[in-house]
Amino acid sequence: MDTHTEHKPAKPRPGPQPPRLGRPARRAALVVHVIASAGWLGLTLGLLALGITAATDGSAGTVEASVRAMKLFADWLLLPVAFLTLLSGLLLSLGTKWGLARYRWVYTKFWLTLATTTATVFALRPGVNSAVTAVAAGGPLPDAGDVLFGPVVSLSAYVFMTVISVLKPWGKTRRGSEKPQTFT
């Protein structure tokens, strides 16, 4: 009697499937994604600390230094790290079993990452730039919201995305729940 059991090959899903990342590539992409995400979270915490300092410190020199540092972060670091997070997340979702639209938590993370990246370009950076312009001209900080709102919203989104990355709640989307069609 043969103790060796044969495994039936899994039925392929219909239609073209994106290639899966091999283990080394998947692990490398995951490391890049985690580092970029942690960097984005850290930059946001730094922006929040600088924004709080600018909004609460009475010293014109400290306010100007704070908003100028925020501008440096926003102009040189934030967007590259945001795009690296977005791209590495896309690579991981499309190159692994998770897929981009198979699980609600992955889909949610994608849209939140896209939204926060867009908000960085169209809300956070312009707000910081207007604060720098006003303070550099010798005026007071025009609106504390310009330097606080973006980091607070971003930080909330990143903490939420981190939590759902760990917990993986909500199950599959309708697309992920569909049974593969079989062809006879």
Side-chain angles (χ1 to χ4, degrees):
M1 179 169 215
D2 187 51
T3 58
H4 181 293
T5 58
E6 289 188 37
H7 296 288
K8 292 183 181 181
K11 292 181 183 178
R13 290 185 69 117
Q17 295 295 308
R20 301 282 178 156
L21 295 173
R23 185 175 182 182
R26 185 182 71 247
R27 292 176 110 187
L30 182 59
V31 167
V32 168
H33 185 66
V34 168
I35 290 170
S37 299
W40 202 5
L41 180 62
L43 282 168
T44 302
L45 283 168
L47 285 169
L48 182 59
L50 290 166
I52 290 170
T53 302
T56 60
D57 194 290
S59 163
T62 302
V63 172
E64 184 173 359
S66 296
V67 295
R68 286 187 182 276
M70 289 182 78
K71 181 170 173 42
L72 268 175
F73 280 12
D75 286 349
W76 294 101
L77 296 173
L78 210 51
L79 283 179
V81 170
F83 285 124
L84 184 58
T85 302
L86 181 63
L87 292 175
S88 61
L90 271 173
L91 177 64
L92 281 169
S93 67
L94 295 173
T96 64
K97 69 176 183 172
W98 297 110
L100 182 59
R102 292 187 68 217
Y103 291 86
R104 286 182 181 93
W105 70 271
V106 176
Y107 202 57
T108 301
K109 275 187 64 178
F110 169 73
W111 286 109
L112 277 174
T113 302
L114 196 58
T116 52
T117 301
T118 303
T120 296
V121 173
F122 294 110
L124 185 132
R125 289 180 74 212
V128 169
N129 287 338
S130 72
V132 169
T133 302
V135 171
L141 186 64
D143 182 7
D146 286 344
V147 295
L148 290 175
F149 184 72
V152 167
V153 170
S154 296
L155 181 61
S156 300
Y158 306 148
V159 168
F160 177 71
M161 287 188 276
T162 301
V163 168
I164 65 173
S165 293
V166 172
L167 300 179
K168 297 172 181 42
W170 309 317
K172 293 183 177 184
T173 63
R174 183 175 21 218
R175 178 180 176 163
S177 297
E178 292 174 355
K179 299 216 188 270
Q181 297 175 349
T182 57
F183 297 99
T184 54

